[in-house]
Amino acid sequence: MRRIQFFLFAGAVGFAVDVGVLWLLLRFELLDPFSARVLAIASAMLCTYLINRTFTFGASHRRVSVEGARYGGVGIASALINYVVYSACLIVLKDFSPYLAVVLGSGSATVFSYLGYSRFVFGPRP
């Protein structure tokens, strides 16, 4: 139960970073909603990695470089799910809020992320 609580905490922090970076980039018209989301997701992924490695799962038995590559792989796959849902909302539903699209995209990737991180990245020794 502790793992899930910390995972949800990491997700909440990552979500706040994701929305915060997206808001800054859109508010100051630095990027369009699609490009801004790429940077926002990358920022959130870095934050969640640090929290998940430190509190949720602990360091794995792998070298940090291997662990990071595995985390990145799961994170990228999760980010693609997240980004596709986000983009579909904005493309299909004209005038849809990018912030609501973030909620839907993030929610769609949460279960995939947990299973990937807990089993593939930080799972037990083979």
Side-chain angles (χ1 to χ4, degrees):
M1 187 63 158
R2 178 187 166 279
R3 267 189 171 183
I4 292 175
Q5 290 171 334
F6 273 114
F7 182 77
L8 292 173
F9 171 73
V13 171
F15 180 79
V17 169
D18 189 348
V19 171
V21 170
L22 181 66
W23 179 83
L24 285 171
L25 294 172
L26 295 179
R27 171 70 173 93
F28 295 103
E29 298 178 0
L30 299 172
L31 293 172
D32 64 273
F34 299 100
S35 302
R37 189 70 205 289
V38 172
L39 290 177
I41 287 173
S43 300
M45 193 182 307
L46 177 61
C47 289
T48 59
Y49 171 70
L50 295 172
I51 294 169
N52 281 328
R53 186 173 199 277
T54 305
F55 300 107
T56 308
F57 303 109
S60 72
H61 60 279
R62 298 172 181 87
R63 291 187 321 257
V64 173
S65 60
V66 173
E67 178 185 286
R70 284 176 169 238
Y71 193 93
V74 172
I76 289 169
S78 176
L80 288 173
I81 293 167
N82 190 332
Y83 190 80
V84 165
V85 171
Y86 170 85
S87 297
C89 289
L90 296 184
I91 292 168
V92 173
L93 305 168
K94 301 297 181 202
D95 297 324
F96 198 76
S97 166
Y99 307 107
L100 184 54
V102 169
V103 171
L104 297 176
S106 296
S108 68
T110 299
V111 172
F112 176 84
S113 297
Y114 180 78
L115 293 174
Y117 295 144
S118 65
R119 288 181 169 77
F120 182 67
V121 180
F122 300 104
R125 290 182 186 266

